[in-house]
């Protein structure tokens, strides 16, 4: 919205879009627009001092240069410092600061895989078969086509 208005500053006043027209096209109430502008303009981070404490706690908890304190340990340390916030807030602040535990995370991508590598011995290709076909076999393709029209 503000970008559209900024782009139109150079235009004569009668050629500019009106705020009400833009807001109705977006589907936003005028009061909501002004409230959000005010909120963005006067933004203060209410957790700024707590973020500093969280960063210090996690830095103190490093082991061999890696982060070892999870949100529960961080929250316990914050309670010792007489800072009482919810665990969800601690998790969110740690995510914003990028101080998640990296040492004990076994499932980095969260995806299960039972693959354990090549087991056993791979037999030699004595028949010289090509297992990487670029196009389908003509025999197999013709059989499929016959079945389709039969």
């Amino acid at each position: 919205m503000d970008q559209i208005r900024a782009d139109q500053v150079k235009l004569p006043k009668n050629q500019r879009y009106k705020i009400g027209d833009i807001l109705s096209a977006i589907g936003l109430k005028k009061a909501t627009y002004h409230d959000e502008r005010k909120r963005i303009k006067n933004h203060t981070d209410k957790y700024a001092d707590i973020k500093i404490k969280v960063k210090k706690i996690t830095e103190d908890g490093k082991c061999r240069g890696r982060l070892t304190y999870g949100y529960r340990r961080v929250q316990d340390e914050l309670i010792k410092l007489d800072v009482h916030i919810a665990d969800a807030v601690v998790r969110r602040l740690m995510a914003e600061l990028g101080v998640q535990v990296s040492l004990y995370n076994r499932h980095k991508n969260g995806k299960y895989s039972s693959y354990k590598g090549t087991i056993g011995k791979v037999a030699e290709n004595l028949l010289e078969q090509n297992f990487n076909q670029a196009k389908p076999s003509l025999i197999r393709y013709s059989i499929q086509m016959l079945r389709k029209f039969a």
Side-chain angles (χ1 to χ4, degrees), residues 87-145:
D87 57 343
V89 176
V90 175
R91 285 197 308 261
R92 190 186 74 224
L93 294 176
M94 288 179 71
E96 287 175 11
L97 295 171
V99 290
Q100 272 84 16
V101 178
S102 58
L103 187 61
Y104 303 115
N105 189 1
R106 276 189 268 160
H107 307 289
K108 287 185 181 174
N109 62 358
K111 195 173 179 183
Y112 174 75
S113 175
S114 63
Y115 179 71
K116 295 179 181 175
T118 305
I119 298 173
K121 191 169 82 173
V122 178
E124 290 183 35
N125 190 7
L126 298 175
L127 301 176
E128 296 178 6
Q129 292 178 322
N130 184 7
F131 294 103
N132 299 318
Q133 290 289 335
K135 58 183 180 178
S137 171
L138 293 176
I139 297 169
R140 197 174 280 168
Y141 180 73
S142 59
I143 291 172
Q144 288 175 353
M145 294 306 288

Side-chain angles (χ1 to χ4, degrees), residues 57-78:
I57 290 168
T58 54
E59 289 296 322
D60 292 344
K62 275 188 172 181
C63 178
R64 293 187 219 131
R66 298 178 86 183
L67 300 168
T68 58
Y69 276 20
Y71 78 93
R72 290 186 180 115
R73 283 173 111 181
V74 170
Q75 188 172 22
D76 289 341
E77 293 296 322
L78 286 172

Side-chain angles (χ1 to χ4, degrees), residues 32-84:
T32 306
Y33 164 70
H34 288 294
D35 185 47
E36 286 298 320
R37 278 193 70 191
K38 182 177 157 189
R39 187 173 289 126
I40 291 168
K41 182 180 168 188
N42 300 329
H43 176 70
T44 56
D45 189 7
K46 67 179 186 177
Y47 294 113
D49 56 335
I50 297 175
K51 283 182 181 179
I52 294 168
K53 291 177 184 177
V54 168
K55 190 78 170 167
K56 184 175 182 338
I57 290 168
T58 54
E59 289 296 322
D60 292 344
K62 275 188 172 181
C63 178
R64 293 187 219 131
R66 298 178 86 183
L67 300 168
T68 58
Y69 276 20
Y71 78 93
R72 290 186 180 115
R73 283 173 111 181
V74 170
Q75 188 172 22
D76 289 341
E77 293 296 322
L78 286 172
I79 289 170
K80 289 177 187 174
L81 296 172
D82 204 31
V83 176
H84 299 277

